[in-house]
Amino acid sequence: MATITAEHLTMTYAGRTAQDPITALDGISLQVAEGELVSLVGPSGCGKTTLLRILAGLEQPTSGHYQIRQRDPDRPPVAMVFQQAGLFPWLTVTQNITYGLRLRGLAAAEQAALAQRWLAAMSLERFAHSYPAQLSGGMQQRVGLARAFAYNGEVLLMDEPFGALDAQTRLLLQQTLLETVAQTRQTLVLVTHSIEEALTLSDRVLIMSARPGRLIGEIGVPFARPRDAITLRAEPAFSALVAEIWGSLRAEIEQARQAELHAA
Ligand SMILES: Nc1ncnc2c1ncn2[C@@H]1O[C@H](COP(=O)(O)OP(=O)(O)O)[C@@H](O)[C@H]1O
Ligand SMILES: [Mg+2]
């Protein structure tokens, strides 16, 4: 049974003038099975963030509907990792991680144990009492990941979570994500601009068109788990799939670029 079901989601933002509305999403329908890892690729501005924000309950679609089926009433349905880490600057690393847990009413000891576990998983123990501004961008992003994992939503929505990181940190965190979702059995929807990252991390890659975003293709990822983020790239089947997805995306990226040039 599907954990996420979306039907005909459309999102139109009011533009600068009443004549100038922006249709970000146009009739997106998708299903994501329980425990499935799906990634979403598409040209910039095609509505990927909008789609995640709708699924997270942060935006109301203009039309269409969606459902997130919760199996465990004691677990929050959704956790989201934002493109920018989105930490509260006035809270310490630990306080940032426990913020949502406190809102959920977890006992202090339980909050502390979860914070400790995920700080360790992200190699951040030494920074438990630091403030975000004292950390590098990569460390801040790891705090955002620790916060989402500690929150333990049944569905994990990630919006280009590794986009701002250097290549080595990115590979290490991809590996951490692979190991973590294997343990937590979360359902994942990951937005990424990296085709390699999409193939490394997911079971299925959904391809979006240039704005207004529609789903134009879907590729099943055949690699067995557990996967290794580094050795996977050496497989010939991996580069063949990169080329196939790139083939679908290329015209859309070109179209998005033309649209940007005309808007400028
Ligand atoms: N709050 C908003 N108000 C108006 N337009 C928006 C808003 N958020 C996004 N958009 C527009 O919707 C389109 C899709 O944006 P977004 O979902 O951020 O795309 P992506 O994440 O794929 O780059 C873009 O043209 C963007 O400018
Ligand atoms: Mg985005």
Side-chain angles (χ1 to χ4, degrees), residues 48-50 83 159-160 191:
K48 302 179 297 295
T49 295
T50 299
Q83 200 166 343
D159 193 3
E160 304 196 17
V191 167

